[in-house]
């Protein structure tokens, strides 16, 4: 019963995502199983991640949308709020989660997090300290992205 | 989407309809705001047509079961999922469409779903009584109401019993009119009774005769 409701809600999200065609983000279930999705985020045209494409995994809990999905970068991402294993530090995925958030809103939030990091609670201290030197930061981002 | 269930197909048709609406009037789509679907009358949690719809004080629409579940998961300090306004179970407003006003017994929902309390009921506010009506009620209707209240009933029973024996008590309203509200009524009663004293005399005599007749009948049959 509960699983059915999770699948129903995720189906509706997928439908909306495909109908709307949000620029810069996309997501699709990994298989018949609706509880695991792969998302893609394109770096915005104005920030240090311009032209880059990042893959993320979204794993939905059984009580979704009452709990947030677990979202991780699968593509390596040099960013103050992303650690080496791809874990993301983002309030809306933790205590600020709301049942009305969707895959789309999560991906858009992460997309804007790329250009606007929260340097007060970094997971990657090197990236946080380098943020103020944008040229150097961009160079390192590009290097890490090329490495994968 | 190959394994789409009938419900999924339903939602797909409704979405395409919504898409049509959105294209015909872009204002409607923007009015729906940040919601992923342009159709606004959907539960903000399950994204479907609300089941037992309720609205929060901040005006956001949910299924009662969806909102209740959300409030339980955030029981310490529940906030509206849409606008983060504080929400309380007692302040949730049920929405009754035409012909669906509480048609379903809420206890059925309790039985089938896990410990879901009945949806809060709507709050009715009566139209306030105007000043003129208030005075009318206090003056003309207030006394009859008091007459059938405690002091008057006492008076009545006391007048009836002694009158059977042709006796005349001073009506003991004073002892019953303890509360300040009852006192004026008791005084009013006093005036009425003293004015009708003669009629009471007559009635008590007739009652006495009737009572004696009944006693005779009982004794000699």
């Amino acid at each position: 019963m509960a699983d059915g409701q999770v699948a129903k809600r995720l189906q509706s999200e997928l439908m909306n995502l495909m109908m709307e065609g949000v620029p810069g983000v996309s997501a699709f279930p990994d298989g018949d199983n609706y509880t695991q999705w792969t998302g893609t985020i394109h770096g915005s045209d104005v920030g240090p991640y311009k032209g880059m494409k990042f893959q993320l995994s979204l794993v939905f809990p059984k009580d979704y949308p009452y709990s947030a999905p677990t979202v991780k970068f699968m593509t390596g991402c040099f960013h103050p709020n992303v650690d080496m294993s791809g874990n993301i530090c983002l309030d809306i995925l933790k205590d600020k989660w709301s049942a009305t958030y969707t895959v789309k809103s999560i991906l858009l939030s992460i997309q804007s997090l790329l250009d606007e990091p929260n340097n007060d609670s970094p997971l990657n201290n090197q990236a946080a300290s380098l943020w103020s030197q944008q040229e150097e930061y961009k160079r390192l981002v590009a290097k890490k992205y090329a490495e994968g | 989407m190959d394994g789409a269930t009938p419900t999924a197909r339903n939602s797909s048709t409704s979405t395409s309809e919504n898409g049509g609406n959105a294209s015909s009037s872009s204002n409607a789509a923007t009015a729906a705001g940040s919601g992923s679907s342009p159709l606004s009358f959907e539960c903000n949690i399950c994204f479907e047509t609300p089941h037992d719809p309720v609205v929060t004080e901040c005006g956001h629409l949910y299924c009662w079961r969806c909102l209740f579940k959300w409030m339980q998961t955030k029981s310490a300090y529940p906030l509206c999922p849409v606008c983060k306004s504080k929400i309380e179970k007692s302040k949730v407003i049920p929405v009754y469409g035409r012909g669906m006003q509480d048609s379903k017994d809420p206890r059925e929902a309790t039985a089938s779903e896990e410990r879901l309390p009945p949806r809060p009921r709507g709050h009715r506010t009566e139209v306030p009584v105007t000043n003129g009506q208030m005075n009318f009620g206090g003056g003309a209707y207030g006394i009859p109401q008091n007459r059938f209240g405690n002091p008057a009933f006492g008076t009545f029973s006391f007048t009836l019993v002694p009158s059977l024996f042709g006796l005349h008590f001073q009506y003991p309203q004073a002892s019953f009119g303890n509360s300040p509200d009852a006192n004026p009524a008791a005084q009013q009663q006093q005036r009425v009774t003293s004015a009708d004293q003669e009629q009471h005399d007559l009635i008590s005599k007739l009652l006495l005769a009737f009572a004696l007749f009944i006693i005779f009948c009982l004794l000699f049959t």
Side-chain angles (χ1 to χ4, degrees), chain B residues 75-107:
Chain B
S75 54
Y77 198 80
L79 302 176
C80 172
V82 177
C83 71
K84 309 278 161 55
S85 162
K86 189 188 170 201
I87 48 175
E88 284 174 61
K89 192 185 149 195
S90 59
K91 291 186 176 166
V92 167
I93 301 156
V95 177
Y96 302 128
R98 180 176 144 76
M100 55 181 268
Q101 181 151 355
D102 265 358
S103 56
K104 201 183 118 195
D105 189 339
R107 284 169 296 183

Side-chain angles (χ1 to χ4, degrees), chain B residues 158-174:
Chain B
F158 269 77
T159 49
L160 193 68
V161 175
S163 67
L164 283 175
F165 301 97
L167 297 170
H168 270 295
F169 270 46
Q170 264 306 332
Y171 300 103
Q173 297 96 338

Side-chain angles (χ1 to χ4, degrees), chain B:
Chain B
M1 289 310 293
D2 292 334
T5 59
T7 47
R9 255 177 246 129
N10 284 342
S11 67
S12 79
T13 49
S14 71
T15 323
S16 59
E17 278 166 21
N18 303 338
N21 288 342
S23 59
S24 61
S25 69
S26 57
N27 280 348
T30 43
S34 58
S36 49
S37 161
L39 181 65
S40 22
F41 291 105
E42 285 176 351
C43 167
N44 278 294
I45 293 179
C46 68
F47 299 174
E48 286 174 42
T49 307
H51 177 269
D52 283 343
V54 292
V55 145
T56 54
E57 265 193 312
C58 44
H60 295 109
L61 181 68
Y62 302 94
C63 303
W64 167 236
R65 64 173 172 208
C66 291
L67 186 67
F68 177 74
K69 214 170 158 185
W70 173 252
M71 289 199 283
Q72 272 201 319
T73 54
K74 307 275 168 187
S75 54
Y77 198 80
L79 302 176
C80 172
V82 177
C83 71
K84 309 278 161 55
S85 162
K86 189 188 170 201
I87 48 175
E88 284 174 61
K89 192 185 149 195
S90 59
K91 291 186 176 166
V92 167
I93 301 156
V95 177
Y96 302 128
R98 180 176 144 76
M100 55 181 268
Q101 181 151 355
D102 265 358
S103 56
K104 201 183 118 195
D105 189 339
R107 284 169 296 183
E108 283 175 32
T110 320
S112 60
E113 292 150 32
E114 67 287 355
R115 287 182 288 116
L116 175 67
R119 178 169 57 153
R121 301 188 73 85
H123 299 285
R124 288 199 77 248
T125 309
E126 296 292 342
V127 177
V129 183
T130 63
N131 270 345
Q133 282 172 313
M134 283 271 256
N135 289 341
F136 186 66
Y141 289 145
I143 288 168
Q145 198 183 12
N146 275 336
R147 207 175 256 172
F148 294 106
N150 251 344
F153 184 71
T155 310
F156 181 68
S157 54
F158 269 77
T159 49
L160 193 68
V161 175
S163 67
L164 283 175
F165 301 97
L167 297 170
H168 270 295
F169 270 46
Q170 264 306 332
Y171 300 103
Q173 297 96 338
S175 58
F176 289 89
N178 285 334
S179 71
D181 283 346
N183 258 335
Q187 285 162 11
Q188 183 86 6
Q189 183 77 16
Q190 180 82 55
R191 258 177 272 129
V192 170
T193 47
S194 57
D196 294 340
Q197 198 79 31
E198 286 172 22
Q199 276 188 350
H200 275 263
D201 280 353
L202 186 67
I203 290 166
S204 59
K205 276 170 188 161
L206 283 170
L207 281 170
L208 178 64
F210 186 64
L212 287 171
F213 175 73
I214 289 171
I215 289 163
F216 273 111
C217 286
L218 287 170
L219 283 174
F220 297 101
T221 50

